[in-house]
Coordinates of all heavy atoms in Angstrom, one line a residue:
M1 N 89.1 117.2 115.0 CA 90.2 116.3 114.7 C 91.3 116.7 115.7 O 91.7 117.8 115.8 CB 90.7 116.5 113.3 CG 91.6 115.3 112.8 SD 91.8 115.4 111.0 CE 90.2 114.7 110.5
S2 N 91.9 115.7 116.4 CA 92.8 116.0 117.4 C 94.2 116.2 116.8 O 94.5 115.8 115.7 CB 92.9 114.8 118.4 OG 93.6 113.7 117.8
A3 N 95.1 116.8 117.6 CA 96.5 117.1 117.1 C 97.2 115.8 116.8 O 98.2 115.8 116.0 CB 97.2 117.9 118.1
T4 N 96.9 114.7 117.4 CA 97.6 113.5 117.2 C 97.0 112.7 116.0 O 97.6 111.7 115.6 CB 97.6 112.6 118.4 OG1 96.2 112.3 118.8 CG2 98.3 113.2 119.6
D5 N 95.9 113.2 115.4 CA 95.3 112.5 114.3 C 96.0 112.9 113.0 O 95.9 114.0 112.6 CB 93.8 112.8 114.2 CG 93.1 111.9 113.2 OD1 93.8 111.3 112.4 OD2 91.9 111.9 113.3
T6 N 96.8 112.0 112.4 CA 97.6 112.3 111.2 C 96.9 111.9 109.9 O 97.4 112.0 108.9 CB 98.9 111.6 111.3 OG1 98.8 110.2 111.4 CG2 99.8 112.1 112.5
R7 N 95.6 111.4 110.1 CA 94.9 111.0 108.8 C 94.6 112.3 108.0 O 94.4 113.4 108.6 CB 93.6 110.3 109.2 CG 93.8 108.9 109.6 CD 92.5 108.3 110.0 NE 92.6 106.9 110.4 CZ 92.7 105.9 109.5 NH1 92.6 106.1 108.3 NH2 92.8 104.7 110.0
R8 N 94.5 112.1 106.7 CA 94.1 113.2 105.9 C 92.7 113.5 106.0 O 91.9 112.6 106.3 CB 94.4 112.9 104.4 CG 95.9 112.7 104.1 CD 96.1 112.1 102.8 NE 95.7 113.1 101.7 CZ 96.5 114.0 101.2 NH1 97.7 114.0 101.5 NH2 96.0 114.8 100.3
Q9 N 92.3 114.8 105.9 CA 91.0 115.2 106.2 C 89.9 114.6 105.3 O 88.8 114.4 105.6 CB 90.8 116.7 106.2 CG 91.5 117.4 107.4 CD 91.3 118.9 107.4 OE1 90.3 119.3 106.8 NE2 92.1 119.6 108.1
E10 N 90.4 114.3 104.0 CA 89.4 113.8 103.1 C 89.1 112.3 103.2 O 88.3 111.7 102.6 CB 89.8 114.1 101.6 CG 91.1 113.5 101.2 CD 92.3 114.4 101.5 OE1 92.2 115.2 102.4 OE2 93.3 114.3 100.7
I11 N 89.9 111.7 104.1 CA 89.7 110.3 104.4 C 88.6 110.2 105.5 O 88.6 110.9 106.5 CB 90.9 109.6 105.0 CG1 92.0 109.6 103.9 CG2 90.7 108.2 105.5 CD1 91.8 108.6 102.8
I12 N 87.6 109.3 105.3 CA 86.5 109.1 106.2 C 86.6 107.7 106.8 O 86.6 106.8 106.1 CB 85.2 109.3 105.5 CG1 85.1 110.7 104.9 CG2 84.0 109.0 106.5 CD1 84.0 110.8 103.8
V13 N 86.8 107.7 108.1 CA 86.9 106.4 108.8 C 85.5 105.9 109.0 O 84.7 106.5 109.6 CB 87.7 106.5 110.1 CG1 87.8 105.2 110.8 CG2 89.1 107.1 109.9
L14 N 85.3 104.7 108.6 CA 83.9 104.1 108.6 C 83.7 103.2 109.8 O 84.6 102.5 110.3 CB 83.7 103.2 107.3 CG 83.9 104.0 106.0 CD1 83.9 103.0 104.8 CD2 82.8 105.0 105.9
T15 N 82.5 103.3 110.3 CA 82.1 102.4 111.4 C 81.8 101.0 110.9 O 81.6 100.8 109.7 CB 80.9 103.0 112.1 OG1 79.8 102.9 111.2 CG2 81.1 104.4 112.6
D16 N 81.7 100.1 111.8 CA 81.3 98.7 111.4 C 79.9 98.7 110.8 O 79.7 98.0 109.8 CB 81.3 97.8 112.6 CG 82.7 97.4 113.1 OD1 83.6 97.7 112.3 OD2 82.8 96.9 114.2
E17 N 79.0 99.6 111.2 CA 77.7 99.7 110.6 C 77.8 100.1 109.1 O 77.2 99.5 108.3 CB 76.8 100.7 111.4 CG 75.4 100.8 110.9 CD 74.6 101.9 111.6 OE1 75.2 102.5 112.6 OE2 73.5 102.2 111.1
H18 N 78.6 101.1 108.9 CA 78.9 101.6 107.5 C 79.5 100.4 106.7 O 79.0 100.2 105.5 CB 79.9 102.7 107.5 CG 79.3 104.0 108.0 ND1 80.1 104.9 108.7 CD2 78.1 104.6 108.0 CE1 79.4 105.9 109.1 NE2 78.2 105.7 108.7
K19 N 80.4 99.7 107.3 CA 81.1 98.7 106.5 C 80.2 97.6 106.2 O 80.2 97.0 105.1 CB 82.3 98.2 107.3 CG 83.4 99.2 107.4 CD 84.6 98.7 108.2 CE 85.7 99.8 108.3 NZ 86.9 99.4 109.0
N20 N 79.3 97.2 107.1 CA 78.3 96.2 106.8 C 77.4 96.6 105.7 O 77.0 95.8 104.8 CB 77.5 95.8 108.1 CG 78.3 95.0 109.1 OD1 79.2 94.3 108.7 ND2 78.0 95.1 110.3
R21 N 77.0 97.9 105.7 CA 76.1 98.4 104.6 C 76.9 98.3 103.3 O 76.3 98.0 102.2 CB 75.7 99.8 104.9 CG 74.6 100.3 104.0 CD 74.2 101.7 104.4 NE 73.7 101.7 105.8 CZ 74.1 102.6 106.7 NH1 75.0 103.5 106.5 NH2 73.6 102.5 107.9
I22 N 78.1 98.7 103.3 CA 78.9 98.6 102.0 C 79.0 97.2 101.5 O 78.9 96.9 100.3 CB 80.3 99.3 102.3 CG1 80.1 100.8 102.5 CG2 81.2 99.0 101.1 CD1 81.3 101.4 103.1
L23 N 79.2 96.2 102.5 CA 79.3 94.8 102.0 C 78.0 94.4 101.4 O 77.9 93.6 100.5 CB 79.7 94.0 103.2 CG 81.1 94.1 103.7 CD1 81.4 93.4 105.0 CD2 82.1 93.6 102.6
D24 N 76.9 94.9 102.0 CA 75.5 94.6 101.4 C 75.5 95.2 99.9 O 75.0 94.5 99.0 CB 74.4 95.3 102.2 CG 74.1 94.5 103.5 OD1 74.6 93.3 103.6 OD2 73.5 95.1 104.3
Q25 N 76.0 96.4 99.7 CA 76.0 97.0 98.4 C 76.9 96.2 97.4 O 76.5 96.0 96.3 CB 76.6 98.4 98.5 CG 75.7 99.5 99.1 CD 74.7 99.9 98.1 OE1 74.8 99.8 96.9 NE2 73.6 100.4 98.6
I26 N 78.0 95.7 97.9 CA 78.9 94.9 97.1 C 78.1 93.6 96.6 O 78.2 93.2 95.5 CB 80.2 94.5 97.8 CG1 81.0 95.8 98.0 CG2 81.0 93.4 97.1 CD1 82.1 95.6 99.0
R27 N 77.4 93.0 97.6 CA 76.7 91.8 97.2 C 75.6 92.1 96.2 O 75.3 91.4 95.3 CB 76.1 91.1 98.5 CG 77.1 90.3 99.2 CD 76.5 89.4 100.3 NE 76.0 90.3 101.4 CZ 76.8 90.6 102.5 NH1 78.0 90.1 102.6 NH2 76.4 91.3 103.4
H28 N 74.9 93.2 96.5 CA 73.8 93.7 95.7 C 74.2 93.9 94.2 O 73.6 93.6 93.3 CB 73.1 94.9 96.3 CG 72.0 95.4 95.5 ND1 70.8 94.8 95.5 CD2 71.8 96.5 94.7 CE1 69.9 95.5 94.7 NE2 70.5 96.5 94.2
R29 N 75.4 94.5 94.1 CA 75.9 94.9 92.8 C 76.7 93.7 92.1 O 77.1 93.8 91.0 CB 76.9 96.0 92.9 CG 76.3 97.4 93.3 CD 77.3 98.4 93.2 NE 76.9 99.7 93.8 CZ 77.6 100.8 93.7 NH1 78.8 100.8 93.0 NH2 77.2 101.9 94.2
K30 N 76.8 92.6 92.9 CA 77.6 91.4 92.4 C 79.0 91.9 92.0 O 79.5 91.4 91.0 CB 76.9 90.7 91.3 CG 75.5 90.2 91.7 CD 74.9 89.5 90.6 CE 73.7 88.6 91.0 NZ 72.7 89.2 91.9
E31 N 79.6 92.7 92.8 CA 81.0 93.2 92.6 C 81.9 92.0 92.8 O 81.7 91.2 93.8 CB 81.4 94.3 93.5 CG 80.5 95.6 93.3 CD 81.1 96.4 92.2 OE1 82.2 96.2 91.7 OE2 80.4 97.4 91.8
T32 N 82.9 91.9 92.0 CA 84.0 90.9 92.2 C 85.4 91.5 92.1 O 85.5 92.6 91.5 CB 83.9 89.8 91.1 OG1 84.0 90.4 89.8 CG2 82.6 89.0 91.2
C33 N 86.3 90.9 92.6 CA 87.7 91.4 92.5 C 88.1 91.4 91.1 O 88.0 90.4 90.4 CB 88.6 90.4 93.3 SG 90.4 90.8 93.1
P34 N 88.6 92.5 90.5 CA 89.0 92.5 89.1 C 90.2 91.6 88.8 O 90.5 91.4 87.6 CB 89.4 94.0 88.9 CG 89.6 94.6 90.2 CD 88.8 93.8 91.2
H35 N 90.9 91.1 89.8 CA 92.1 90.3 89.5 C 91.8 88.8 89.6 O 92.2 88.1 88.8 CB 93.2 90.8 90.5 CG 93.5 92.2 90.3 ND1 94.3 92.7 89.3 CD2 93.2 93.3 91.1 CE1 94.4 94.0 89.4 NE2 93.7 94.4 90.4
C36 N 91.1 88.4 90.7 CA 90.9 87.0 90.9 C 89.4 86.6 90.8 O 89.1 85.4 90.8 CB 91.5 86.5 92.2 SG 90.5 87.0 93.6
G37 N 88.5 87.6 90.7 CA 87.1 87.2 90.6 C 86.5 86.9 92.0 O 85.3 86.5 92.0
G38 N 87.2 87.1 93.0 CA 86.7 86.8 94.4 C 85.6 87.7 94.7 O 85.5 88.8 94.2
K39 N 84.7 87.3 95.6 CA 83.5 88.0 96.0 C 83.6 88.5 97.5 O 82.7 89.1 97.9 CB 82.3 87.2 95.8 CG 82.0 86.9 94.3 CD 80.8 86.0 94.1 CE 80.7 85.7 92.6 NZ 79.9 84.4 92.4
Q40 N 84.7 88.2 98.2 CA 84.8 88.5 99.6 C 85.8 89.7 99.7 O 86.9 89.6 99.2 CB 85.2 87.3 100.4 CG 84.3 86.1 100.3 CD 82.9 86.4 100.9 OE1 82.8 87.0 102.0 NE2 81.9 85.9 100.3
F41 N 85.4 90.7 100.4 CA 86.2 91.8 100.6 C 86.2 92.3 102.1 O 85.2 92.1 102.8 CB 85.7 93.0 99.8 CG 85.7 92.8 98.3 CD1 84.6 92.3 97.7 CD2 86.9 92.9 97.5 CE1 84.5 92.1 96.3 CE2 86.9 92.7 96.2 CZ 85.7 92.3 95.6
S42 N 87.3 92.9 102.5 CA 87.3 93.7 103.7 C 87.2 95.1 103.3 O 87.8 95.5 102.3 CB 88.5 93.4 104.6 OG 89.7 93.7 104.0
V43 N 86.5 95.9 104.1 CA 86.3 97.3 103.8 C 87.2 98.2 104.6 O 87.4 98.1 105.8 CB 84.8 97.7 104.2 CG1 84.5 99.2 103.8 CG2 83.8 96.8 103.4
G44 N 87.9 99.2 103.9 CA 88.8 100.1 104.5 C 88.1 101.4 104.8 O 87.0 101.5 105.1
D45 N 88.9 102.5 104.5 CA 88.4 103.8 104.7 C 87.7 104.4 103.4 O 87.9 103.8 102.3 CB 89.5 104.8 105.1 CG 90.1 104.4 106.4 OD1 89.4 103.8 107.2 OD2 91.3 104.7 106.6
A46 N 87.0 105.5 103.5 CA 86.3 106.1 102.4 C 87.1 107.4 102.0 O 87.6 108.1 102.9 CB 84.9 106.4 102.7
L47 N 87.1 107.7 100.7 CA 87.7 108.9 100.2 C 86.7 109.7 99.5 O 86.0 109.1 98.6 CB 88.9 108.5 99.3 CG 89.6 109.7 98.6 CD1 90.3 110.6 99.5 CD2 90.5 109.2 97.5
Y48 N 86.5 110.9 99.9 CA 85.5 111.8 99.2 C 86.1 112.2 97.9 O 87.1 112.9 97.8 CB 85.2 113.0 100.1 CG 84.2 113.9 99.6 CD1 83.1 113.5 98.9 CD2 84.4 115.3 99.7 CE1 82.1 114.4 98.4 CE2 83.5 116.2 99.2 CZ 82.3 115.7 98.6 OH 81.4 116.6 98.1
L49 N 85.4 111.9 96.8 CA 85.9 112.2 95.4 C 85.4 113.5 94.9 O 86.1 114.2 94.1 CB 85.5 111.1 94.5 CG 86.0 109.7 94.7 CD1 85.4 108.8 93.6 CD2 87.5 109.7 94.6
G50 N 84.2 113.9 95.3 CA 83.5 115.0 94.7 C 84.3 116.3 95.0 O 84.4 117.2 94.1
F51 N 85.0 116.3 96.1 CA 85.8 117.5 96.4 C 87.1 117.6 95.6 O 87.6 118.6 95.3 CB 86.2 117.4 97.9 CG 87.1 118.5 98.4 CD1 86.7 119.8 98.6 CD2 88.4 118.2 98.7 CE1 87.5 120.7 99.0 CE2 89.3 119.1 99.1 CZ 88.9 120.4 99.3
L52 N 87.6 116.4 95.2 CA 89.0 116.4 94.6 C 88.9 116.4 93.1 O 89.8 117.0 92.4 CB 89.7 115.0 95.0 CG 90.0 114.9 96.5 CD1 90.5 113.5 96.8 CD2 91.1 115.9 96.9
F53 N 87.8 115.8 92.5 CA 87.8 115.7 91.1 C 86.5 116.3 90.6 O 85.4 115.8 90.9 CB 87.8 114.2 90.7 CG 89.1 113.5 91.2 CD1 89.0 112.7 92.3 CD2 90.3 113.8 90.6 CE1 90.1 112.0 92.8 CE2 91.4 113.1 91.1 CZ 91.3 112.3 92.2
R54 N 86.6 117.3 89.8 CA 85.4 118.1 89.3 C 84.5 117.2 88.5 O 83.3 117.5 88.3 CB 85.9 119.3 88.6 CG 86.6 120.3 89.4 CD 87.0 121.5 88.6 NE 85.8 122.3 88.3 CZ 85.7 123.6 88.7 NH1 86.7 124.2 89.2 NH2 84.6 124.2 88.4
S55 N 85.1 116.2 87.8 CA 84.2 115.4 86.9 C 83.4 114.4 87.7 O 82.5 113.8 87.2 CB 85.1 114.6 86.0 OG 86.0 113.8 86.7
E56 N 83.6 114.3 89.0 CA 82.8 113.4 89.8 C 81.5 114.0 90.3 O 81.5 115.2 90.4 CB 83.6 112.9 91.1 CG 84.8 112.1 90.7 CD 84.5 110.7 90.3 OE1 83.3 110.3 90.4 OE2 85.4 110.0 89.7
D57 N 80.5 113.2 90.6 CA 79.3 113.7 91.2 C 79.8 114.3 92.5 O 80.7 113.9 93.2 CB 78.4 112.6 91.5 CG 77.8 112.0 90.2 OD1 77.9 112.7 89.2 OD2 77.3 110.9 90.2
S58 N 79.0 115.3 93.0 CA 79.4 116.1 94.2 C 79.3 115.2 95.4 O 79.9 115.6 96.5 CB 78.6 117.3 94.3 OG 77.3 117.0 94.5
D59 N 78.6 114.1 95.3 CA 78.5 113.3 96.5 C 79.1 111.9 96.3 O 78.7 110.9 97.0 CB 77.0 113.1 97.0 CG 76.2 112.2 96.0 OD1 76.7 112.0 94.9 OD2 75.2 111.7 96.4
A60 N 80.1 111.8 95.5 CA 80.8 110.5 95.2 C 81.9 110.2 96.2 O 82.7 111.1 96.5 CB 81.3 110.5 93.8
Y61 N 81.9 109.0 96.6 CA 83.0 108.5 97.5 C 83.6 107.2 96.9 O 82.9 106.5 96.3 CB 82.4 108.2 98.9 CG 81.9 109.3 99.7 CD1 80.7 109.9 99.4 CD2 82.7 109.9 100.7 CE1 80.3 111.0 100.1 CE2 82.3 111.0 101.4 CZ 81.0 111.6 101.1 OH 80.6 112.6 101.8
M62 N 84.9 107.1 97.2 CA 85.5 105.8 96.8 C 85.9 105.1 98.2 O 86.4 105.7 99.0 CB 86.8 106.0 96.0 CG 87.5 104.8 95.6 SD 86.6 103.7 94.5 CE 86.8 104.6 93.0
V63 N 85.5 103.9 98.3 CA 85.8 103.1 99.5 C 86.8 102.0 99.1 O 86.6 101.3 98.2 CB 84.5 102.4 100.0 CG1 84.8 101.6 101.2 CG2 83.4 103.5 100.4
G64 N 87.9 102.0 99.9 CA 88.9 101.1 99.7 C 88.4 99.7 100.1 O 87.8 99.5 101.1
L65 N 88.7 98.7 99.2 CA 88.4 97.3 99.5 C 89.6 96.5 99.4 O 90.5 96.8 98.5 CB 87.4 96.8 98.5 CG 86.0 97.5 98.4 CD1 85.2 96.9 97.3 CD2 85.3 97.4 99.7
T66 N 89.7 95.4 100.1 CA 90.8 94.5 100.0 C 90.2 93.1 99.8 O 89.4 92.6 100.6 CB 91.7 94.4 101.3 OG1 92.2 95.8 101.5 CG2 92.8 93.5 101.1
C67 N 90.5 92.5 98.7 CA 90.1 91.1 98.4 C 90.6 90.2 99.4 O 91.8 90.3 99.7 CB 90.6 90.7 97.0 SG 90.3 89.0 96.5
T68 N 89.8 89.3 100.0 CA 90.3 88.5 101.1 C 90.8 87.1 100.6 O 91.1 86.3 101.4 CB 89.1 88.2 102.1 OG1 88.0 87.6 101.5 CG2 88.7 89.5 102.8
N69 N 90.8 86.9 99.3 CA 91.3 85.7 98.7 C 92.8 85.7 99.0 O 93.6 86.5 98.5 CB 91.1 85.6 97.2 CG 91.7 84.4 96.6 OD1 92.4 83.6 97.2 ND2 91.5 84.3 95.3
P70 N 93.3 84.7 99.8 CA 94.8 84.7 100.2 C 95.7 84.5 99.0 O 96.9 84.9 99.1 CB 94.9 83.6 101.2 CG 93.7 82.7 101.0 CD 92.6 83.6 100.4
T71 N 95.2 84.0 97.9 CA 96.1 83.8 96.8 C 96.0 84.9 95.8 O 96.7 84.9 94.7 CB 95.8 82.5 96.1 OG1 94.4 82.5 95.6 CG2 95.9 81.3 97.0
C72 N 95.2 85.9 96.0 CA 95.0 87.1 95.1 C 96.3 87.8 95.0 O 96.9 88.2 96.1 CB 93.9 88.0 95.5 SG 93.5 89.3 94.3
L73 N 96.8 88.1 93.8 CA 98.1 88.8 93.6 C 97.9 90.3 93.7 O 98.9 91.0 93.9 CB 98.7 88.4 92.3 CG 99.1 86.9 92.1 CD1 99.6 86.7 90.7 CD2 100.1 86.5 93.2
A74 N 96.7 90.8 93.5 CA 96.5 92.3 93.5 C 95.2 92.6 94.3 O 94.2 92.9 93.7 CB 96.4 92.8 92.1
P75 N 95.2 92.4 95.6 CA 93.9 92.4 96.3 C 93.3 93.8 96.6 O 92.2 93.9 97.0 CB 94.3 91.7 97.7 CG 95.8 92.0 97.8 CD 96.3 92.0 96.4
R76 N 94.1 94.9 96.3 CA 93.6 96.2 96.6 C 92.7 96.7 95.5 O 93.1 96.8 94.4 CB 94.8 97.2 96.8 CG 95.7 96.7 97.9 CD 95.4 97.1 99.3 NE 95.2 98.5 99.5 CZ 94.9 99.0 100.6 NH1 94.6 98.3 101.7 NH2 94.7 100.3 100.7
T77 N 91.5 97.1 95.8 CA 90.5 97.6 94.9 C 89.6 98.6 95.6 O 90.0 99.0 96.7 CB 89.8 96.5 94.1 OG1 89.0 97.1 93.1 CG2 88.9 95.7 95.1
G78 N 88.6 99.0 94.9 CA 87.7 100.0 95.6 C 86.3 100.0 94.9 O 86.1 99.4 93.9
I79 N 85.4 100.6 95.6 CA 84.0 100.7 95.1 C 83.6 102.2 95.2 O 83.8 102.8 96.2 CB 83.1 99.8 95.8 CG1 81.7 99.8 95.2 CG2 83.0 100.0 97.3 CD1 80.7 98.7 95.7
R80 N 82.9 102.7 94.2 CA 82.4 104.0 94.2 C 80.9 104.0 94.7 O 80.1 103.2 94.2 CB 82.4 104.6 92.8 CG 82.0 106.0 92.7 CD 82.2 106.6 91.3 NE 83.6 106.5 91.0 CZ 84.1 106.7 89.8 NH1 83.3 107.1 88.8 NH2 85.4 106.6 89.5
L81 N 80.7 104.9 95.6 CA 79.3 104.9 96.2 C 78.9 106.4 96.4 O 79.8 107.3 96.5 CB 79.4 104.3 97.6 CG 79.7 102.8 97.7 CD1 79.9 102.4 99.2 CD2 78.5 102.0 97.2
S82 N 77.6 106.6 96.3 CA 77.1 107.9 96.6 C 77.0 108.1 98.2 O 77.1 107.1 98.9 CB 75.7 108.1 96.0 OG 74.8 107.3 96.7
R83 N 76.8 109.3 98.6 CA 76.7 109.6 100.0 C 75.6 108.8 100.7 O 75.8 108.2 101.8 CB 76.5 111.1 100.3 CG 76.5 111.4 101.7 CD 76.4 112.9 102.0 NE 76.4 113.2 103.4 CZ 77.5 113.2 104.2 NH1 78.7 113.1 103.6 NH2 77.4 113.4 105.5
S84 N 74.5 108.7 100.0 CA 73.3 108.0 100.6 C 73.6 106.5 100.7 O 73.2 105.9 101.7 CB 72.1 108.2 99.8 OG 72.2 107.8 98.4
E85 N 74.4 106.0 99.7 CA 74.7 104.6 99.8 C 75.7 104.3 100.9 O 75.7 103.3 101.5 CB 75.3 104.1 98.5 CG 74.3 104.0 97.3 CD 75.0 103.8 96.0 OE1 76.0 104.3 95.7 OE2 74.4 103.0 95.2
L86 N 76.6 105.3 101.1 CA 77.7 105.1 102.1 C 77.2 105.3 103.5 O 77.5 104.5 104.4 CB 78.8 106.1 101.7 CG 80.0 106.1 102.6 CD1 80.7 104.8 102.5 CD2 80.9 107.2 102.3
L87 N 76.5 106.4 103.7 CA 76.1 106.8 105.1 C 74.7 106.7 105.4 O 74.3 106.9 106.5 CB 76.5 108.3 105.3 CG 78.0 108.6 105.0 CD1 78.3 110.1 105.1 CD2 78.9 107.8 105.9
N88 N 73.9 106.3 104.4 CA 72.4 106.1 104.6 C 71.8 107.4 105.2 O 71.0 107.3 106.1 CB 72.1 104.9 105.5 CG 70.7 104.4 105.3 OD1 70.1 104.7 104.3 ND2 70.2 103.8 106.3
T89 N 72.1 108.5 104.6 CA 71.5 109.8 105.1 C 70.6 110.3 104.1 O 70.7 110.0 102.9 CB 72.6 110.8 105.3 OG1 73.4 111.0 104.2 CG2 73.5 110.5 106.5
Ligands
ZN1 ZN1 91.3 89.2 94.4

C-alpha cells in the first residue's frame, strides 16, 4: 500500500471482474433494495467482516451496494458474501 493511499486496510477495492460476479450473485439470490424493491445496484468496495466481528464467519465480507433507482430515498445497502463468492478462489 503506497503512502498516498488513505483507504483503510480492511477495505478491499474490487475489480470490474469481481463486481460483475457480485452482480451475478445478486441476481441469483434475487436480492432487492430493502427500501424501494429495486433490483439494480452498483457495486462499491468490500469490507472484510471476519476480522472485525467474532460472530461472523472467518471468510465473510460485506460489499457495499447502491440502489440505482433515482427515486430511492435510501439507496445505500450491502450484501454479505463469502470469500469464494467474492473472489472466486
Ligand atoms: Zn432502492
Side-chain angles (χ1 to χ4, degrees):
M1 197 168 281
S2 75
T4 56
D5 189 345
T6 57
R7 284 179 180 276
R8 295 171 64 92
Q9 288 187 20
E10 62 270 29
I11 297 288
I12 299 159
V13 179
L14 300 171
T15 66
D16 285 346
E17 186 187 349
H18 291 144
K19 291 180 180 183
N20 286 334
R21 189 175 304 127
I22 291 161
L23 289 171
D24 284 345
Q25 285 283 338
I26 290 166
R27 280 191 288 270
H28 181 70
R29 295 189 189 185
K30 298 182 166 43
E31 296 277 349
T32 57
C33 172
H35 301 283
C36 74
K39 294 176 181 156
Q40 302 293 320
F41 299 95
S42 63
V43 180
D45 296 332
L47 174 66
Y48 179 44
L49 295 178
F51 175 75
L52 296 171
F53 303 105
R54 296 181 71 124
S55 59
E56 294 288 345
D57 293 341
S58 63
D59 73 340
Y61 292 79
M62 180 65 77
V63 177
L65 300 176
T66 303
C67 173
T68 59
N69 177 356
T71 63
C72 186
L73 297 177
R76 304 276 300 179
T77 185
I79 185 174
R80 183 173 302 173
L81 296 168
S82 70
R83 183 175 181 84
S84 60
E85 290 171 321
L86 181 66
L87 304 176
N88 199 25
T89 53

